[in-house]
């Protein structure tokens, strides 16, 4: 059955992978990100392949902009069946006591508060109709801190706690809640973390075949299409030679 899927941070990485995989699955898409230009390019690509797509340009850190965008959806797009809270980022690898407060705020406002904003906007309607699915993109970093990860790890630990808490809150309904926890995924994530230092970002993936955004998207589509009585609560997805957030064997 065709679903309407809203994906945040949909213009790159895991979000873009999810957009393409859900499109291949025959679903309708509401794609959000900060760049209208990038959203339009993706919309044109996917509509050319027969997928219905609408786009919303806003920053999930801006609660008022997010609210206006979601509430401004036309009636035919109001029912969101699957919410993929993907928008997120990491900034810096400094020790916690040397971190940049602006970086802390960007991570907390995007990874935690942005997720909460989208949850608050979408989930009440799911509860009202007793149907829906929330897929939060967490991280192996939320299971245990690693060197240089401090605040980013804390935000992904918060994603796990918020996902678990939401699952408890909706347990008397048919709404399902999933936490996907990727390990090493090769996207522009590291370029952002290292603030444009492409060479440093590339070194992170040397000696190991990392995951791709499509790999994580495959799991998201699987979870969203499990039988109605099956709730894929949490999935840890690692590259074959990665054992945890801090144990990576490079060859």
């Amino acid at each position: 059955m065709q679903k309407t899927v809203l994906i945040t941070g949909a213009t790159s990485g895991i979000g873009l992978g999810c957009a393409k995989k859900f499109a291949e699955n025959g679903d309708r898409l509401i794609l959000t990100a900060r760049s209208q230009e990038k959203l339009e390019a993706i919309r044109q690509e996917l509509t050319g392949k027969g997928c219905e797509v609408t786009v919303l340009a806003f920053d999930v850190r801006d609660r008022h902009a997010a609210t206006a965008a979601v509430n401004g959806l036309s009636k035919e797009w109001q029912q969101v069946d699957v919410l993929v809270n993907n928008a997120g980022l990491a900034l810096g690898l400094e020790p916690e006591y040397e971190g940049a407060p602006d970086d802390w705020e960007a991570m907390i406002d995007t990874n935690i508060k942005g997720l909460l904003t989208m949850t608050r906007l979408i989930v009440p309607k799911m509860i009202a109709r007793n149907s829906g699915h929330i897929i939060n993109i967490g991280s192996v970093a939320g299971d245990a801190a690693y060197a240089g990860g401090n605040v980013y790890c804390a935000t992904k630990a918060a994603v796990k706690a918020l996902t678990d808490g939401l699952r408890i809150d909706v347990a008397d309904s048919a709404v399902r809640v999933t936490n996907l926890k990727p390990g090493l995924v090769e996207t522009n994530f590291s370029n952002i973390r290292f603030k444009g230092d492409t060479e440093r970002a590339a070194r992170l993936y040397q000696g190991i075949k990392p995951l791709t955004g499509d790999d994580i998207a495959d799991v998201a589509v699987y979870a969203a299409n499990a039988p109605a009585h099956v709730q894929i609560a949490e999935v840890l997805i690692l590259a074959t030679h990665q054992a945890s957030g801090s144990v990576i064997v490079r060859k």
Side-chain angles (χ1 to χ4, degrees):
M1 186 174 109
Q2 186 185 59
K3 300 179 179 67
T4 298
V5 183
L6 191 158
I7 304 166
T8 66
T11 55
S12 64
I14 294 171
L16 180 57
C18 285
K20 292 181 176 180
K21 291 291 183 178
F22 276 105
E24 290 173 8
N25 193 58
D27 296 313
R28 306 164 75 231
L29 303 178
I30 303 170
L31 304 181
T32 88
R34 290 176 294 176
S35 170
Q36 182 73 41
E37 183 179 358
K38 290 180 180 178
L39 285 168
E40 282 297 332
I42 296 165
R43 185 186 67 79
Q44 289 181 23
E45 176 187 348
L46 296 180
T47 54
K49 296 177 180 179
C51 180
E52 289 184 77
V53 183
T54 192
V55 298
L56 301 174
F58 64 88
D59 190 329
V60 295
R61 293 178 295 180
D62 186 337
R63 178 165 49 88
H64 299 292
T67 301
V70 171
N71 289 345
L73 285 166
S74 62
K75 186 176 180 181
E76 64 177 316
W77 289 98
Q78 283 288 331
Q79 179 174 313
V80 175
D81 301 302
V82 180
L83 167 63
V84 181
N85 276 316
N86 165 74
L89 77 166
L91 291 170
L93 280 169
E94 300 85 1
E96 190 171 317
Y97 56 86
E98 294 179 352
D102 286 348
D103 288 349
W104 299 342
E105 289 182 6
M107 287 185 280
I108 291 168
D109 289 350
T110 304
N111 301 357
I112 302 175
K113 292 164 71 176
L115 179 148
L116 282 169
T117 292
M118 296 307 297
T119 300
R120 183 66 180 84
L121 289 170
I122 301 298
V123 176
K125 292 179 181 178
M126 292 181 173
I127 296 297
R129 66 176 186 271
N130 195 35
S131 175
H133 195 156
I134 303 92
I135 300 175
N136 291 334
I137 305 299
S139 172
V140 63
D143 288 345
Y146 56 77
N150 46 76
V151 175
Y152 173 69
C153 293
T155 66
K156 289 304 184 178
V159 170
K160 174 175 170 53
L162 291 170
T163 307
D164 291 345
L166 180 61
R167 194 180 303 111
I168 293 167
D169 290 339
V170 304
D172 62 344
S173 76
V175 175
R176 302 184 293 184
V177 185
T178 299
N179 183 20
L180 300 186
K181 303 188 301 183
L184 193 64
V185 184
E186 187 169 12
T187 66
N188 68 341
F189 176 90
S190 293
N191 273 325
I192 294 171
R193 181 171 216 164
F194 301 138
K195 300 181 179 178
D197 188 337
T198 303
E199 289 185 10
R200 188 180 181 190
R203 287 197 296 271
L204 186 65
Y205 307 110
Q206 288 178 352
I208 187 172
K209 185 172 182 178
L211 302 167
T212 68
D214 286 351
D215 294 327
I216 310 308
D218 282 335
V219 182
V221 172
Y222 173 82
N225 288 279
H229 70 288
V230 177
Q231 179 170 218
I232 308 297
E234 184 170 285
V235 184
L236 175 64
I237 311 122
L238 301 176
T240 297
H241 295 292
Q242 178 176 19
S244 69
S246 59
V247 178
I248 299 171
V249 178
R250 303 178 189 274
K251 298 185 177 182

